[in-house]
């Protein structure tokens, strides 16, 4: 597991200054991950396109853009956020799924490149923008993921165009005089074995041979980071070497030697740069189980509840002379559901009210999936700059925010 970028003194100072719960991001780690991805492929035309659903904070996006990384959007809102964060239209790729006419029209009006992932969606797009450029999302029939909920290719997912329907897709493209400029895929989320990505690249490149003259081929994302103790980091050096071998073989037989290869990481860039801080409000024994009650409800971090995901936790002790003993406890939140568990049956130091729980590897799909469920307030977000300065990059919700869009 990655070392913490905050010490106990900083943790308590940040909670005192910005309140609890609180997301905190480290800019140095974010930039380091961006540069690792940028260097994944150096031999060919290669572009990194950050899937912003992992973390949409505008200040995070500005840093990612500053590192020369483009962006994937999955909705009209994400396209809007990107443009508002300084991204130009030609730096955004709209990877649609079950898109509405208004979603397509927004991308068309703003000259944003569009991917369609169903034959019927190509028809919808073609009616709106005859003669335009388009790419299509292919489902190669295989996928992977840390949960079945994030497997985004294969026979049991809603994404992409199965190979058997490619001829039909090409007929629709021809019908509306569209220009096919690229193909893309996404197999799933959170792989730590580089071989899965290499095999996925081989699959999409084999399909790409059917389409001469493509401007780009998007290999997909899903790059994982270690969440559990003992998990090895993704071997980026070996991945780079083997992936470039595969690309070299493809280029040798393809008509466009300058075709652009694209990858779309989300989690890999932001997961490890973020932690979530929360306060212990209650310690209680219920029959044989001990619960540590915090303000980290699943409205703040839903991954453990939704996916059964593991996050390591660190306890910042307010009383430095507290017992060094350890015990089995469950860290729980303040939402009115029994499934509201951050960390179940963990061996941790004895925890007291007023201590701070730090949830590690929380920069991806943390705040971006947060909500106001139970009319809880979404937390603030803070960025630690390279010089150590902490900067507020999103204010905490106010009670008034809960009713600002209602008609009273």
């Amino acid at each position: 597991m990655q070392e913490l970028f905050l010490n106990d003194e900083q943790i308590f100072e940040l909670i005192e200054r910005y309140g609890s719960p609180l997301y905190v991001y480290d800019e140095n780690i974010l930039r380091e991950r961006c540069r690792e991805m940028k260097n994944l492929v150096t031999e060919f035309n290669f572009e990194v396109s950050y899937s912003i659903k992992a973390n949409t904070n505008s200040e995070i996006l500005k840093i990612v853009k500053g590192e020369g990384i483009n962006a994937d959007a999955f909705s009209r809102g994400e396209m809007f956020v990107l443009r508002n964060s300084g991204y130009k239209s030609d730096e955004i790729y709209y990877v649609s799924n079950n898109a509405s006419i208004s979603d397509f029209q927004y991308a068309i009006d703003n000259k944003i490149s569009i991917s369609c992932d169903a034959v019927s969606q190509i028809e919808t797009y073609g009616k709106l923008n005859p003669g335009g450029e388009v790419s299509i999302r292919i489902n190669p029939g295989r996928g992977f993921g840390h949960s079945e909920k994030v497997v985004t290719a294969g026979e049991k997912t809603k994404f992409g165009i199965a190979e058997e329907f490619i001829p039909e897709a090409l007929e629709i493209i021809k019908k509306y005089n569209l220009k096919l400029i690229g193909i893309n895929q996404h197999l799933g989320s959170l792989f730590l074995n580089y071989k899965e990505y290499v095999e996925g690249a081989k699959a999409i490149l084999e399909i790409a041979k059917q389409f001469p003259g493509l401007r780009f081929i998007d290999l997909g994302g899903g790059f994982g980071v270690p969440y559990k103790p003992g998990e090895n980091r993704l071997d980026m050096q070996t991945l780079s070497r083997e992936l470039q071998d595969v690309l070299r073989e493809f280029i040798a037989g393809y008509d466009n030697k300058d075709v652009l290869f694209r990858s779309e990481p989300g989690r890999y860039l932001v997961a490890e740069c973020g932690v979530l801080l929360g306060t212990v409000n209650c310690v209680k024994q219920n029959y044989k189980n001990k619960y540590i009650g915090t303000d980290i409800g699943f409205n703040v971090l839903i991954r453990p509840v939704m996916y059964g995901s593991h996050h390591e936790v660190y306890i910042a002790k307010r009383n430095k002379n507290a017992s060094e003993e350890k015990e089995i406890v469950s860290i729980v939140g303040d939402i009115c559901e029994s499934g509201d568990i951050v960390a179940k049956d963990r061996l941790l130091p004895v925890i007291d009210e007023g201590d701070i729980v730090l949830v590690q590897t929380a920069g991806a799909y943390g705040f971006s999936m947060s909500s106001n469920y139970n009319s809880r307030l979404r937390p603030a977000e803070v960025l630690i700059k390279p010089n150590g300065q902490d900067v507020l990059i999103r204010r905490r919700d106010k009670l008034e925010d809960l009713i600002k869009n209602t008609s009273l």
Side-chain angles (χ1 to χ4, degrees):
M1 297 299 297
Q2 188 174 15
E3 292 185 10
L4 297 179
F5 57 82
L6 296 175
N7 58 39
D8 285 15
E9 182 179 359
Q10 292 172 309
I11 290 170
F12 284 107
E13 286 179 353
L14 289 169
I15 288 292
E16 180 68 25
R17 189 173 301 136
Y18 298 107
S20 178
L22 180 68
Y23 277 100
V24 184
Y25 308 105
D26 184 271
E27 183 174 335
N28 284 330
I29 296 173
L30 174 59
R31 290 188 182 277
E32 181 181 348
R33 295 292 173 261
C34 289
R35 291 166 188 174
E36 287 175 357
M37 280 302 310
K38 284 276 289 184
N39 291 322
L40 180 64
V41 174
T42 56
E43 188 175 334
F44 308 100
N45 289 336
F46 178 66
E47 178 181 282
V48 181
S49 193
Y50 168 50
S51 294
I52 75 163
K53 60 182 179 288
N55 190 314
T56 59
N57 187 287
S58 289
E59 296 305 312
I60 297 292
L61 295 176
K62 290 173 184 177
I63 293 169
V64 173
K65 184 180 187 304
E67 290 293 332
I69 290 178
N70 289 348
D72 277 4
F74 201 71
S75 70
R76 183 171 28 159
E78 289 188 353
M79 287 185 276
F80 171 82
V81 168
L82 283 166
R83 294 178 68 239
N84 192 63
S85 301
Y87 275 88
K88 298 177 182 178
S89 293
D90 62 0
E91 296 170 327
I92 303 171
Y93 184 38
Y94 175 38
V95 185
S96 70
N97 176 252
N98 303 326
S100 67
I101 290 175
S102 59
D103 288 336
F104 277 136
Q105 195 62 57
Y106 184 91
I108 293 167
D109 291 344
N110 289 285
K111 298 180 172 55
I112 293 171
S113 181
I114 292 175
S115 164
C116 294
D117 86 333
V119 172
S120 66
Q121 292 264 279
I122 303 173
E123 180 97 33
T124 300
Y125 173 73
K127 291 177 181 178
L128 293 170
N129 194 33
E133 296 181 339
V134 71
S135 62
I136 57 174
R137 180 169 178 169
I138 304 295
N139 182 337
R142 63 183 297 274
F144 55 74
H146 69 92
S147 163
E148 65 177 13
K149 297 176 182 178
V150 297
V151 177
T152 53
E155 297 181 2
K156 296 182 179 181
T157 71
K158 65 175 182 172
F159 297 102
I161 298 171
E163 284 192 73
E164 64 181 296
F165 296 111
I166 288 177
E168 187 177 347
L170 292 177
E171 287 180 10
I172 302 298
I173 288 172
K174 183 177 180 181
K175 175 182 176 181
Y176 291 99
N177 194 31
L178 300 173
K179 179 175 176 55
L180 181 65
I181 61 171
I183 61 173
N184 62 302
Q185 70 171 4
H186 196 290
L187 302 183
S189 185
L190 214 172
F191 69 89
L192 291 172
N193 184 344
Y194 69 88
K195 294 180 181 179
E196 292 176 315
Y197 195 75
V198 172
E199 291 304 311
K202 289 179 180 178
I204 191 70
L205 292 174
E206 188 63 32
I207 294 171
K209 293 176 182 178
Q210 303 177 40
F211 309 106
L214 290 174
R215 188 181 302 167
F216 69 85
I217 301 169
D218 190 328
L219 307 174
F223 298 78
V225 298
Y227 282 89
K228 298 178 182 179
E231 286 184 330
N232 293 322
R233 292 196 63 79
L234 179 60
D235 186 346
M236 295 291 279
Q237 288 187 335
T238 304
L239 172 57
S240 174
R241 184 176 64 252
E242 296 210 3
L243 179 60
Q244 292 191 112
D245 287 345
V246 171
L247 299 181
R248 189 180 305 111
E249 182 178 349
F250 172 79
I251 284 289
Y254 194 63
D255 65 330
N256 180 11
K257 305 301 181 184
D258 294 322
V259 64
L260 172 69
F261 298 105
R262 181 183 286 160
S263 184
E264 35 178 279
R267 178 194 319 274
Y268 190 83
L269 300 189
V270 294
E272 293 167 300
C273 79
V275 297
L276 172 59
L277 308 181
T279 301
V280 177
N281 294 325
C282 177
V283 177
K284 68 185 294 185
Q285 188 83 30
N286 253 0
Y287 300 97
K288 296 180 180 180
N289 302 302
K290 190 166 187 179
Y291 296 97
I292 307 301
T294 73
D295 53 10
I296 307 176
F298 70 68
N299 68 300
V300 177
L301 179 68
I302 201 171
R303 293 190 72 252
V305 176
M306 179 171 285
Y307 305 122
S309 301
H310 180 99
H311 286 265
E312 282 292 281
V313 295
Y314 169 80
I315 309 300
K317 298 292 299 176
R318 195 169 289 276
N319 179 5
K320 300 305 179 185
N321 297 317
S323 170
E324 296 183 0
E325 294 181 9
K326 293 188 176 183
E327 58 183 353
I328 300 291
V329 298
S330 291
I331 309 291
V332 297
D334 51 5
I335 294 297
C336 187
E337 293 195 23
S338 296
D340 185 30
I341 301 173
V342 179
K344 185 178 177 62
D345 295 335
R346 300 284 182 90
L347 181 64
L348 295 168
V350 174
I351 300 171
D352 301 301
E353 293 180 12
D355 291 343
I356 302 299
V357 174
L358 182 152
V359 182
Q360 297 186 46
T361 327
Y365 306 105
F367 188 94
S368 68
M369 296 182 75
S370 66
S371 74
N372 292 124
Y373 185 52
N374 273 182
S375 291
R376 294 289 183 185
L377 306 182
R378 289 176 301 172
E381 294 179 288
V382 168
L383 178 69
I384 307 297
K385 303 291 288 182
N387 63 3
Q389 178 187 8
D390 51 269
V391 179
L392 182 68
I393 58 173
R394 190 191 303 268
R395 69 164 175 82
R396 182 177 308 281
D397 278 355
K398 301 176 182 178
L399 287 173
E400 292 75 16
D401 293 328
L402 298 174
I403 59 171
K404 68 180 180 181
N405 292 324
T406 60
S407 177
L408 300 177

